[in-house]
Amino acid sequence: MNGIKIRGTGRCVPEKTVTNEDLARIVDTSDEWITTRTGIRTRRHCTTETHTDLCVKAAEDALARAGVSTDEIGACIVATVSPDTLVPSAACCLQSALGLPQDILCFDLNAACTGFLFALHTMECLLNSSPRKYGLVVGAEALSRLIDWEDRGTCILFGDGAGAAVVECREGWPSSPAALGCRGDDALLRVAGPGTGEPPLIHMDGTKVFKFAVETVPQCMDQVLQKAGLSVEDVDFFVFHQANARIIDLAVRKYHIPPEKYYKNIADYGNTSAASIPLVLSELQEQGEVVPGSRVLVVGFGGGLTWGGMLIEFA
Ligand code: ACO
């Protein structure tokens, strides 16, 4: 199988910033508690923006940075759990807004916070059977719609946003080493759907998810490094799902990753689920921290349960 590389990234976050002080006026919490336990200071919430608006802006930025036109796109995947409509999918809405070709697959993928990684891997498989060599992968969430404002353990965590990547697949490029998995479990993290009669709100056992994450992140990293035949020192940059700053801190300490090789933007955006990883990638590319040839190890975990790691190169 031929591999993919990331050619261009983009992002979009809503205008409205919600601070910890704003939340302390709604639930019994404090800036001190939220900052110390999570590393989050602000998050963005949609007001007038739709999920599709976020996807379109992020995708347009990624296409422009990649120098790729819409008619060169061979597939479009939007990783999300919070689209505007179940049908049409967020990816079909995006296809229509951008004018992507009509003879390609455009679909949504639900793997919660690991969605962008699942989508990257899926895109690599798809592009191997497409005559077009570029794919559009978006991670986008409007999680503020799914927040239970009576649950202080979750309402402080989540934010809205979208990140996008245009990937390229070329003959002779090795496939991207990946370790991805799932274990069906609704006890740790659940958002009810139409079949349940329950409101679609995020329920989470934060302490158990934290434990799951702390165990899973190193397992994913070890498996990807082993598949790639690389050590930590060979990797140019590490990108972690931004769920809690303490989870990232534990991982970088365990692997002795120096500060210049990883990045946190959770203070600004909170946990944006499927958008968190591409938001980081886009900021890194814009800041010149990743350049053509950079090898980035990306690690995520989330509801489902789902998890994954992937070593991806920039073109
Ligand atoms: N403000 C003040 N106190 C709070 C708040 C709050 N916002 N939330 C909970 N507390 C209280 C609890 O009630 C509890 O009080 P008690 O001891 O009197 O019972 C105390 O703080 C400790 O609560 P814990 O839940 O044990 O706190 P913890 O240190 O575990 O932090 C947190 C909670 C931040 C949710 C953490 O567990 C976490 O980050 N978990 C991981 C979440 C995650 O990674 N999710 C990713 C997947 S999400 C997805 O896929 C969509």
Side-chain angles (χ1 to χ4, degrees), residues 220-301:
C220 291
M221 290 175 67
D222 289 346
Q223 285 173 27
V224 174
L225 289 170
Q226 197 193 353
K227 279 191 181 179
L230 298 176
S231 65
V232 167
E233 293 72 38
D234 301 320
V235 176
D236 296 309
F237 223 95
F238 294 83
V239 170
F240 299 95
H241 167 46
Q242 310 279 307
N244 186 318
R246 288 189 291 143
I247 296 172
I248 301 172
D249 294 342
L250 285 168
V252 297
R253 213 174 303 145
K254 185 177 169 81
Y255 287 89
H256 307 290
I257 299 170
E260 65 275 15
K261 279 198 175 188
Y262 71 95
Y263 187 75
K264 286 187 279 190
N265 61 11
I266 185 165
D268 300 329
Y269 302 132
N271 180 349
T272 56
S273 192
S276 107
I277 286 169
L279 279 174
V280 171
L281 292 173
S282 155
E283 291 192 346
L284 290 176
Q285 193 179 30
E286 192 175 80
Q287 293 165 15
E289 296 281 357
V290 294
V291 292
S294 292
R295 285 193 290 205
V296 182
L297 203 165
V298 186
V299 190
F301 55 89

Side-chain angles (χ1 to χ4, degrees), residues 29 33 37-38 113 152-153 189 204 206-207 209 243-244 246 302-303:
T29 190
W33 193 94
R37 297 291 180 115
T38 69
C113 301
R152 67 176 179 170
L189 190 51
M204 183 177 72
T207 309
V209 173
N244 186 318
R246 288 189 291 143

Side-chain angles (χ1 to χ4, degrees), residues 84-98:
D84 290 330
T85 48
L86 292 179
V87 181
S89 66
C92 283
C93 294
L94 182 58
Q95 176 195 36
S96 161
L98 293 179

